[in-house]
């Protein structure tokens, strides 16, 4: 059986919508395609606020992708908003954080892309640079222009079998303080963190600051390898949750 991969949606207001509700729960086609190409079955998870519902959804998928989107509300990493910060969507931010918490409890693999990487860092106590202007390339998004060095032995290095790759770059924020329990595994030549992975045994949470889903559409081998590594991990059986199960059983008996 192929693993089912939940893709967290963004909220999008459709300016051309004249009749129906203009607010859409949106996922770019490239994420859907990249998962299918890598051997997974994509499902879109709409933005929602009910933690328990999010937990139940997480329990029914084999992995989660957190996709690119708007800036994360700086309040969530204990900073005031600077003038260069973009528009924030607190409902989407909380949805990402709730999904990460559920994934952590269920030992569900998570791939965080761009905002997804930033959300992983913030969820575990890290902070962000609110504006790093040099990381938005002029070239089209499908063009890899940005040199990134990969840490030896990391998830990324093992997936792509190389210490250095070329990626695209479309972010104006980046990790400042790395969250505890995470390793920085990819850097640009100036030392900006471009990739992270969680160090906790049994957990697979990896984030990249670039957009591999766009490069994967153009058959970029490193990007395809990253999605394959994630989907392959999602297909593996997870350890049974010995410490959670008895409490759930008690609740069942009570209820
Ligand atoms: Mn970059």
């Amino acid at each position: 059986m192929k693993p089912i991969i939940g893709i967290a949606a963004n909220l999008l207001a459709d300016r051309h919508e004249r009749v129906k509700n203009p607010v859409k729960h949106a996922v770019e086609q490239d994420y859907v395609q990249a998962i299918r190409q890598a051997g997974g079955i994509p499902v879109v998870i709409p933005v929602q606020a009910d933690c328990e519902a999010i937990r139940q959804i997480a329990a029914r998928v084999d992995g989660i992708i957190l996709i690119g989107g708007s800036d994360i509300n700086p309040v969530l990493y204990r900073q005031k908003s600077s003038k260069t910060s973009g528009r924030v969507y607190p409902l989407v931010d909380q949805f990402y954080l709730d999904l990460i918490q559920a994934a952590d409890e269920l030992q569900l693999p998570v791939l965080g892309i761009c905002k997804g990487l930033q959300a992983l860092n913030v969820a575990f106590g890290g902070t962000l640079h609110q504006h790093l202007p040099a990381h938005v390339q002029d070239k089209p998004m499908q063009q890899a222009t940005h040199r990134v060095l990969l840490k030896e032995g990391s998830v990324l290095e093992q997936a792509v079998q190389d210490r250095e790759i070329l990626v695209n770059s479309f972010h104006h924020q980046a990790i400042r303080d790395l969250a505890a329990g995470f390793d920085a595994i990819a850097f640009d030549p100036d030392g900006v963190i471009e990739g992270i992975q969680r160090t906790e045994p049994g957990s697979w949470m990896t984030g990249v600051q670039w957009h591999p889903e766009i490069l994967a559409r153009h058959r970029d081998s490193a990007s395809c390898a990253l999605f394959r590594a994630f989907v392959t991990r999602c297909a593996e059986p997870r350890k049974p949750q010995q410490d959670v199960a008895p409490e759930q059983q008690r609740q069942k008996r009570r209820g």
Side-chain angles (χ1 to χ4, degrees):
M1 285 234 298
K2 291 179 175 180
I4 295 178
I5 313 295
I7 313 175
N10 267 308
L11 289 179
L12 180 76
D14 183 349
R15 289 194 188 105
H16 302 290
E17 187 60 75
R18 299 262 176 260
V19 184
K20 293 173 283 185
N21 190 328
V23 179
K24 318 279 185 197
H25 294 250
V27 167
E28 285 89 351
Q29 161 80 354
D30 290 346
Y31 295 105
V32 172
Q33 270 303 107
I35 291 175
R36 294 186 53 202
Q37 247 180 56
I41 299 172
V43 295
V44 174
I45 309 176
V47 179
Q48 50 203 293
D50 179 345
C51 286
E52 184 46 34
I54 290 168
R55 205 179 178 283
Q56 286 188 31
I57 293 166
R60 284 169 174 77
V61 297
D62 300 304
I64 286 171
I65 288 207
L66 302 171
I67 66 174
S70 311
D71 290 351
I72 292 176
N73 192 346
V75 168
L76 295 172
Y77 50 95
R78 308 167 302 282
Q79 282 182 18
K80 280 187 188 151
S81 181
S82 79
K83 278 186 199 127
T84 47
S85 238
R87 198 167 158 195
V88 297
Y89 294 83
L91 187 64
V92 178
D93 292 348
Q94 194 54 52
F95 171 57
Y96 273 47
L97 296 182
D98 290 343
L99 269 174
I100 292 167
Q101 198 189 328
D104 185 27
E105 287 169 19
L106 297 162
Q107 289 206 332
L108 211 54
V110 178
L111 177 60
I113 293 174
C114 200
K115 177 183 181 153
L117 160 140
Q118 296 166 5
L120 281 172
N121 191 50
V122 168
F124 290 95
T127 66
L128 304 177
H129 289 293
Q130 290 194 38
H131 192 54
L132 273 192
H135 286 257
V136 182
Q137 69 185 42
D138 302 326
K139 299 264 167 57
M141 287 191 91
Q142 67 273 19
Q143 228 167 301
T145 61
H146 203 53
R147 206 156 62 91
V148 164
L149 308 169
L150 306 181
K151 188 175 170 183
E152 199 172 359
S154 65
V155 165
L156 284 172
E157 192 255 357
Q158 286 180 344
V160 308
Q161 292 289 305
D162 212 336
R163 291 294 305 277
E164 190 180 319
I165 56 172
L166 270 184
V167 303
N168 53 9
S169 192
F170 289 90
H171 57 107
H172 87 110
Q173 299 197 325
I175 290 176
R176 192 163 103 168
D177 304 300
L178 183 64
F182 277 81
D183 223 0
I185 58 169
F187 299 90
D188 85 346
D190 296 328
V192 173
I193 295 175
E194 296 273 350
I196 59 172
Q197 88 182 57
R198 198 160 180 221
T199 52
E200 176 146 322
S203 175
W204 197 103
M205 293 193 182
T206 301
V208 295
Q209 188 58 81
W210 64 91
H211 282 277
E213 78 285 2
I214 297 171
L215 299 174
R217 190 200 333 151
H218 297 273
R219 298 290 192 272
D220 172 68
S221 65
S223 302
C224 294
L226 170 58
F227 281 103
R228 270 199 311 275
F230 168 61
V231 170
T232 302
R233 175 64 190 236
C234 294
E236 287 171 12
R238 287 183 297 281
K239 274 193 297 183
Q241 291 202 296
Q242 281 128 351
D243 45 344
V244 178
E247 175 59 24
Q248 280 178 337
Q249 282 163 6
R250 274 201 297 279
Q251 281 177 352
K252 225 180 229 168
R253 278 201 295 272
R254 260 186 254 135

